[in-house]
Amino acid sequence: MFQNCDYKKIYKSGTGTGKLMPILSEGQLLSYKTIGIADTTLSLFRGNITGSFLRKDSLVIENLPNASIKFKNTGNLDSIYISSDNLGQFQVYLEPGSYVCEISFYNFDNLQLRNIILKSGEVKHAKVLMGHNETSKAIDVSK
């Protein structure tokens, strides 16, 4: 799929335009490396967002599509905003560093994940359960 992939522009900074080069292993996309500004291998943070609620006196857990997700770099205070897909899943490539992740969805408590440390080329996964009355929580944040 990415075997003949061209470099793609992704952002501009004060020093110029950066481009992404895919890093592959056995045909699987592992990460991207920025080209042009500094040779930095980005980290991948992905996750799944579900919500729990009552339906006809039964507790139901379903995927939450279009949940709002904000990643704030605690070092330079830059923020990236994304949303989950129609299955409640998301993924974002971030520069290595320390982040706070804020997740929100209509009619559910907001959730904040603190002290997310991403190293160069690292892949982390989060499972999140949104709830009510301060019951939102990260079920698992791991590699």
Side-chain angles (χ1 to χ4, degrees):
M1 179 163 116
F2 287 95
Q3 292 170 351
N4 298 318
C5 186
D6 292 330
Y7 295 109
K8 297 182 180 186
K9 284 186 185 179
I10 56 158
Y11 59 87
K12 290 187 176 183
S13 76
T15 58
T17 301
K19 296 184 179 187
L20 290 181
M21 178 181 75
I23 297 173
L24 307 171
S25 174
E26 298 178 13
Q28 296 284 344
L29 178 65
L30 296 180
S31 185
Y32 285 102
K33 184 173 184 177
T34 58
I35 305 297
I37 294 175
D39 285 345
T40 304
T41 301
L42 300 179
S43 302
L44 173 62
F45 193 89
R46 60 173 64 161
N48 186 46
I49 301 173
T50 56
S52 64
F53 50 92
L54 288 174
R55 181 184 294 154
K56 296 184 181 180
D57 297 328
S58 296
L59 183 64
V60 177
I61 297 177
E62 291 185 354
N63 295 328
L64 297 181
N66 302 314
S68 297
I69 307 158
K70 174 184 172 184
F71 285 90
K72 183 176 179 183
N73 186 317
T74 59
N76 61 19
L77 303 181
D78 285 344
S79 294
I80 295 174
Y81 297 84
I82 61 171
S83 56
S84 61
D85 65 15
N86 59 352
L87 298 175
Q89 299 176 351
F90 68 90
Q91 71 177 28
V92 61
Y93 289 94
L94 300 166
E95 292 182 3
S98 176
Y99 291 86
V100 172
C101 176
E102 298 172 3
I103 303 171
S104 61
F105 190 81
Y106 178 75
N107 252 358
F108 284 85
D109 292 339
N110 293 346
L111 177 64
Q112 192 173 78
L113 306 175
R114 297 180 177 272
N115 299 322
I116 298 171
I117 308 295
L118 295 174
K119 297 176 184 167
S120 182
E122 184 174 36
V123 177
K124 285 200 175 185
H125 186 87
K127 293 181 183 176
V128 175
L129 177 63
M130 304 293 285
H132 305 279
N133 301 320
E134 300 181 18
T135 60
S136 291
K137 61 184 174 181
I139 299 170
D140 183 31
V141 178
S142 61
K143 286 186 175 187

